[in-house]
């Protein structure tokens, strides 16, 4: 009898522990953070890092009918871990501890709420360079601005908060992702688990998941502190590129299944970074490449995943089929042509003065040594990303099912794949672009160099005059197929109308002599 009672008591305690863990996870994600702001100051001496007016190529948001504001969000976030990260069959995620945070968001929205499309894009600002990089904004800002979307950039790592404090220690003094585990040391956690370095025992990368959930909960709430209170929000999307996409894989696959009720986001754009996921906390390893837990599963939210020609190999390790099922909406698009890093990414990053003040180096400086006299690739990576946002938004808000696309043609076994090239040295298969099908250059996926930066940056190698003359004896021989190819790609939506028009205009102005 005593043994039976003890067993029952143990079972009850175990069930209670699971309930507490699940409840803590759900409540941590659903909490509404407190809001401070807008943060004052938009002068050369005191402005938000990444402010549009202080980008490498500044944007006058006012002339586009937009305003920009910075806010600080404060709340309490859970830190999670897999019960057994080494066991591919273990999907159980538990709460380790909770801790306070203060984070920042940068909000760009139509000045007139009547121009708002209803779509909010929350971009995880990329932390790879130890300062906030708005990569998707760099690619897609014209798309967002022309449609009336709201874009929110969210700081996603404590290492970039350190950069913000270096940039402006007074403005960013309140920001904090302090480690709630005050006993963590190099002895208790000898290997800090990160995607691309930068972690510290004093802070905790794993606060991100609830920081992201709570940001999403805020912008769709009716709370008086919501900066978007005057805007009718129809759908909220989380998006990330490169390291931020790897973060999203962990968030989607590990965190969202434990959040009860409606999904925190209506859809996700996961750009050029899936195949693995980020560690849930900085002292526990992430599932290894090839682990089934790295395969994206939407769970009632739509996912569009994109890969550049540089990155598709890694994504194939976690490949899955497309799906139109209501509880598993998924599309994968691989773009032939663009490398992981192209010129577009450099335009909307903070200008050199601000980047240096944050303790960093610019993307142009980082990649200059990779090119060996060639240009950093000018291939328009925005084409597929603009189209993917359009597909995602119409899928979520209108139920319009997006098209399928073929994969990049390759030989070998993932991740050791070799891209098949045409007679001009350009990639075959995948989502196409007229610049590939009617080319004036070769677009490489990498410089072939061994360093991380150089392996991610491609080149554009212009054809010489003799080759151009052989391919296109007259301008009509160039423009007619270019226009025809552009229209055929635009017909299913893989070029937005604006991008198609811009491509044709650029081709008309291009010299082929």
């Amino acid at each position: 009898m005593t043994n039976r009672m003890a067993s029952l008591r143990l079972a009850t305690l175990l069930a209670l522990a699971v309930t507490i863990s699940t409840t803590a996870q759900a409540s941590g994600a659903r909490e509404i953070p407190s809001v401070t702001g807008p943060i004052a100051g938009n002068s050369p001496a005191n402005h938000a890092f990444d402010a549009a007016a202080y980008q490498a190529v500044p944007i006058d948001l006012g002339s586009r009918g937009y305003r920009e504001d910075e806010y600080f969000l404060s709340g309490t976030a859970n830190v999670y871990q897999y019960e057994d990260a080494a066991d591919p069959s273990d999907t159980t995620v538990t709460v380790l501890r909770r801790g306070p945070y203060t984070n920042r968001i940068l909000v760009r929205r139509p000045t007139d709420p009547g121009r708002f499309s209803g779509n909010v894009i929350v971009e995880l600002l990329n932390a790879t360079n130890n300062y906030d990089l708005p990569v998707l904004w760099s690619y897609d800002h014209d798309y967002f601005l022309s449609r009336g979307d709201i874009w929110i950039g969210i700081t996603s790592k404590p290492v970039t908060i350190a950069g913000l404090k270096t940039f402006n220690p007074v403005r960013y003094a309140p920001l904090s992702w302090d480690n709630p585990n005050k006993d963590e040391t190099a002895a208790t956690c000898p290997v800090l688990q990160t995607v691309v370095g930068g972690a510290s025992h004093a802070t905790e990368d794993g606060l991100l998941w609830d920081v992201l959930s709570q940001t999403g909960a805020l912008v769709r709430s009716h709370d008086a502190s919501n900066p978007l209170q005057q805007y009718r929000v129809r759908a909220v999307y989380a998006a990330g590129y490169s390291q931020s996409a790897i973060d999203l894989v962990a968030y989607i696959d590990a965190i969202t299944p434990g959040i009860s009720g409606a999904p925190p986001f209506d859809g996700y754009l996961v750009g050029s970074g899936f195949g693995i996921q980020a560690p849930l906390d900085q002292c526990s390893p992430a599932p290894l490449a090839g682990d089934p837990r790295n395969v994206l599963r939407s769970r009632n939210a739509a996912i569009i995943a994109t890969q550049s020609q540089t990155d598709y190999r890694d994504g194939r390790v976690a490949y899955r089929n497309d799906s139109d099922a209501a509880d598993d909406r998924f599309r994968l698009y691989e773009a032939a042509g663009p490398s992981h890093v192209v010129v577009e990414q450099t335009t909307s990053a903070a200008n050199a003065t601000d980047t240096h003040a944050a303790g960093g180096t610019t993307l142009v400086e980082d990649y200059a040594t990779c090119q060996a006299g060639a240009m950093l690739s000018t291939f328009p990576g925005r084409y597929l990303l603009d189209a993917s946002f359009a597909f995602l938004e119409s899928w979520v808000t209108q139920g319009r099912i997006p098209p399928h696309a073929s994969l990049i043609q390759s030989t070998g076994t993932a991740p050791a794949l070799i891209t098949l090239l045409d007679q001009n040295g350009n990639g075959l298969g995948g989502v196409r672009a007229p610049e590939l099908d009617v080319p004036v250059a070769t677009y490489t996926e990498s410089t072939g160099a061994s360093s991380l930066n150089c392996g991610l940056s491609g080149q554009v190698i212009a054809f010489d005059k003799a080759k151009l003359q052989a391919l296109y004896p007259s301008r009509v021989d160039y423009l007619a197929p270019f226009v025809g190819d552009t229209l055929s790609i635009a017909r299913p939506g893989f070029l937005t109308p604006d991008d198609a028009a811009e491509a044709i205009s650029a081709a008309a102005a291009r010299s082929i002599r």
Side-chain angles (χ1 to χ4, degrees), residues 1 69 72 85 110 113 201 209 229 240 243 359 391 484:
M1 184 63 127
D69 298 290
F72 296 164
H201 292 296
W209 319 119
Q229 190 181 26
Q243 180 179 180
F391 290 148

Side-chain angles (χ1 to χ4, degrees), residues 179 181 184-192 199-204 282-283:
N179 193 336
N181 181 9
E184 182 183 307
T185 64
T188 62
C189 178
V191 179
L192 288 168
S200 163
H201 292 296
T203 57
E204 173 56 73
Q282 63 189 32
C283 291

Side-chain angles (χ1 to χ4, degrees), residues 20 27 91 102 122 131 134 166 174 201 213 256 268 271 276 306 321 330 336 339 351 388 399 403 416 469 480 493 505:
I20 291 171
S27 64
T91 59
T102 297
V122 178
Y131 58 86
T166 300
H201 292 296
S213 291
T256 62
Y268 301 92
I276 59 173
T306 70
N321 292 326
F330 179 81
S339 55
N351 63 29
S388 294
Q469 181 64 38
S505 178

Side-chain angles (χ1 to χ4, degrees), residues 2 16 20 102 106 116 146 245 296 324 330 333 394 414 427 444 487 493 497:
T2 303
L16 180 61
I20 291 171
T102 297
L106 197 59
F116 175 43
S146 66
L296 281 164
D324 298 334
F330 179 81
Y333 297 130
S394 63
T444 72
L487 295 177

Side-chain angles (χ1 to χ4, degrees), residues 73 100-103 158 161 165 172-179 203 207:
L73 308 185
Y101 72 88
T102 297
N103 199 42
I161 286 181
K165 289 176 181 267
Y172 293 116
L175 301 187
S176 172
W177 283 32
D178 286 350
N179 193 336
T203 57
L207 295 173

Side-chain angles (χ1 to χ4, degrees), residues 454-495:
C454 298
L456 297 176
S457 62
Q459 298 174 334
V460 53
I461 303 170
F463 296 163
D464 60 27
K465 291 183 178 180
K467 182 164 185 172
L468 286 172
Q469 181 64 38
L471 287 171
Y472 314 113
S474 71
R475 287 193 61 77
V476 172
D477 292 319
Y478 171 64
L479 286 176
F482 190 98
V483 171
D485 191 64
T486 300
L487 295 177
S488 69
I489 295 169
R491 197 166 294 116
F494 287 109
L495 278 171

Side-chain angles (χ1 to χ4, degrees), residues 9 274 291:
R9 185 170 182 272
F274 70 93
D291 190 303

